[in-house]
Amino acid sequence: MASHRKSRTPGTRVAGIRTPALATAALTSVALLSQTAEAAPGEDRPSLEEVEKKVGDLYRQAESATEKYNAAKEKTGKQRKRVDTLLDDVAKRTQKLNEARSELGSYAAAQYRTGAGMPDTATFLLAETPQDIFDQRQVLDRMTGRQKAAVDDYVTQQTETMKKRQEATESLRTLTETQGDLKTAKAIVQKKLADARELLSKLTAEEKARLAAIEKRKQEEAARKAAELARQQAEQEQAREEAAQQGGGASEGSGSTGSTGSTETPPADSSYGTKAEKAMAFARAQIGKPYVWGATGPGSYDCSGLTQAAWKAAGVSLPRTTYDQVNAGTTVPVSQAQPGDLVFFYDDVTHVGIYIGNGMMIHAPKPGTYVREESIYYDGDSAIHSIVRPA
């Protein structure tokens, strides 16, 4: 999507693994045991990497469903407020309509008392729609000014009341549909997590150790890549300072031409730095709190709930979901990432963290984990979707 992203090389990525070594080992080993039990005699067992990928996909599906749940929940809340507002408006307008009807009734009663037969104003009380009233033009011609004013008020109140009732009906229908989406997303998340708990219950110590070793090697590689990014960024900063001292500013093309970026992006202004510091301070204060899907704090968070809350503490309002947050700022190359920027992951943009410098971020990884600092390469460099600097 962004120009700095690497092309994906088949077989080099272990997708979607954002679990502690223990949880990853547990899920992977049980999946392996299940496949082995179903395999024909003599058939090769799948590699640990292949099984690990399938387990990672299970977590990513749960995370994707979580973001859909977040979106549906936000939409449901807004729709419910709209319905409540419309129903309150309908009640008020119905009261005014009844008052207007009562005034027309008083004219009709007076005409009955004078023996006028079917009073002119009574025909409007029998009308079912505003159009029925407008069709009685010949009756209007016989009315006094006060009677016409009463009819005008009655027509206005009836028209507005019918309009608001229709809006309320449509909003209630939309609310019902959105609640259905919310229920569906919730069921998907719960099912994925239930599957994970079932797999964990079948963990073996030997497979746990083998998978823990693989996870450790992945973490070491992620740390190495983070250190390399930190070195690149330090070199770029030094080059900018030297150019500034010479009075020429940052030279064109001084940015990285490697896989992490191709052109120089102007550094964020000082006001961004101040806000970013506040966002990062908030995020650091949440380290150790559990990931809970759909949570926005203060006791627990999911990934986008954490980034939204952190930037809110800095006075910046971010949307609720990763799908919307990725569009809430300026995209920059990975090599140009600055503290406070948002790091998004995967083609479906289902995970996000807050960059804190030196190739590291703070994020809420997934169920069963806690908010923590981690390399942005924790799932490989190809997992990075984009870097966004919040507006």
Side-chain angles (χ1 to χ4, degrees):
M1 181 174 186
S3 61
H4 60 278
R5 293 183 60 208
K6 276 188 176 180
S7 60
R8 299 177 185 269
T9 303
T12 62
R13 174 186 169 197
V14 181
I17 305 303
R18 292 183 296 285
T19 59
L22 176 61
T24 303
L27 293 172
T28 303
S29 12
V30 176
L32 177 59
L33 290 175
S34 300
Q35 290 193 6
T36 303
E38 298 172 358
E43 183 178 342
D44 291 339
R45 290 167 53 128
S47 69
L48 289 179
E49 287 79 5
E50 290 172 339
V51 178
E52 189 181 28
K53 180 182 183 303
K54 293 181 181 179
V55 175
D57 288 343
L58 177 67
Y59 272 105
R60 285 192 57 199
Q61 290 165 15
E63 196 165 34
S64 177
T66 294
E67 289 304 312
K68 291 178 181 178
Y69 171 87
N70 291 338
K73 183 178 180 181
E74 184 179 44
K75 185 176 179 180
T76 297
K78 292 179 179 178
Q79 198 63 34
R80 185 176 288 113
K81 288 181 179 179
R82 174 170 172 76
V83 168
D84 290 343
T85 298
L86 285 171
L87 291 177
D88 184 59
D89 196 9
V90 167
K92 292 178 180 178
R93 292 186 180 280
T94 299
Q95 181 178 355
K96 291 181 178 180
L97 177 62
N98 290 336
E99 292 171 355
R101 182 181 291 112
S102 177
E103 184 176 1
L104 281 183
S106 66
Y107 285 119
Q111 288 178 308
Y112 272 120
R113 287 195 297 271
T114 60
M118 170 64 77
D120 294 338
T121 50
T123 63
F124 296 100
L125 294 174
L126 297 176
E128 295 183 357
T129 67
Q131 185 60 48
D132 294 336
I133 295 176
F134 285 116
D135 289 342
Q136 303 295 328
R137 292 182 176 86
Q138 73 281 5
V139 178
L140 283 169
D141 292 339
R142 298 198 300 268
M143 287 186 173
T144 64
R146 293 182 61 185
Q147 288 176 323
K148 289 181 179 179
V151 169
D152 288 341
D153 184 42
Y154 180 73
V155 171
T156 298
Q157 298 304 330
Q158 187 182 47
T159 301
E160 290 300 318
T161 300
M162 291 178 65
K163 178 181 177 182
K164 292 299 179 182
R165 283 176 179 169
Q166 182 62 30
E167 290 181 15
T169 299
E170 289 298 318
S171 292
L172 281 169
R173 180 185 60 78
T174 301
L175 176 60
T176 300
E177 293 176 354
T178 306
Q179 287 174 328
D181 295 339
L182 183 66
K183 183 177 180 181
T184 298
K186 181 177 181 179
I188 293 174
V189 176
Q190 291 176 330
K191 177 63 168 61
K192 300 302 180 183
L193 298 184
D195 290 345
R197 286 192 294 269
E198 182 179 358
L199 293 175
L200 281 169
S201 68
K202 301 176 182 178
L203 176 67
T204 67
E206 179 182 356
E207 291 166 333
K208 181 198 306 183
R210 293 171 63 195
L211 270 263
I214 292 177
E215 182 65 22
K216 182 179 179 180
R217 289 195 294 271
K218 286 180 57 182
Q219 292 174 353
E220 290 172 349
E221 177 62 13
R224 185 192 67 77
K225 291 182 177 180
E228 175 63 17
L229 176 61
R231 183 190 64 78
Q232 291 179 10
Q233 292 177 330
E235 290 176 352
Q236 290 174 11
E237 181 61 27
Q238 182 178 359
R240 281 195 293 266
E241 291 178 355
E242 292 176 353
Q245 291 173 358
Q246 295 173 3
S251 60
E252 183 178 358
S254 62
S256 170
T257 58
S259 62
T260 55
S262 57
T263 58
E264 181 75 14
T265 298
D269 58 32
S270 59
S271 64
Y272 178 81
T274 300
K275 294 175 182 177
E277 284 295 335
K278 292 180 180 179
M280 289 188 295
F282 180 93
R284 287 192 180 96
Q286 312 315 308
I287 291 176
K289 293 184 178 181
Y291 175 106
V292 174
W293 66 275
T296 56
S300 58
Y301 298 89
D302 64 16
C303 66
S304 56
L306 175 64
T307 52
Q308 183 188 48
W311 272 98
K312 181 179 180 180
V316 176
S317 179
L318 291 181
R320 174 63 182 94
T321 69
T322 55
Y323 310 127
D324 293 324
Q325 288 182 10
V326 74
N327 296 315
T330 303
T331 301
V332 300
V334 174
S335 65
Q336 304 295 320
Q338 294 191 7
D341 292 350
L342 302 179
V343 189
F344 293 91
F345 297 86
Y346 311 116
D347 290 338
D348 53 0
V349 198
T350 53
H351 190 66
V352 62
I354 300 177
Y355 189 67
I356 58 174
N358 296 322
M360 302 293 289
M361 66 178 173
I362 297 174
H363 69 149
K366 64 184 357 155
T369 64
Y370 299 84
V371 176
R372 66 193 185 203
E373 290 187 15
E374 194 161 25
S375 167
I376 66 172
Y377 299 105
Y378 76 114
D379 200 18
D381 55 357
S382 63
I384 298 175
H385 176 275
S386 57
I387 308 290
V388 172
R389 189 158 297 154

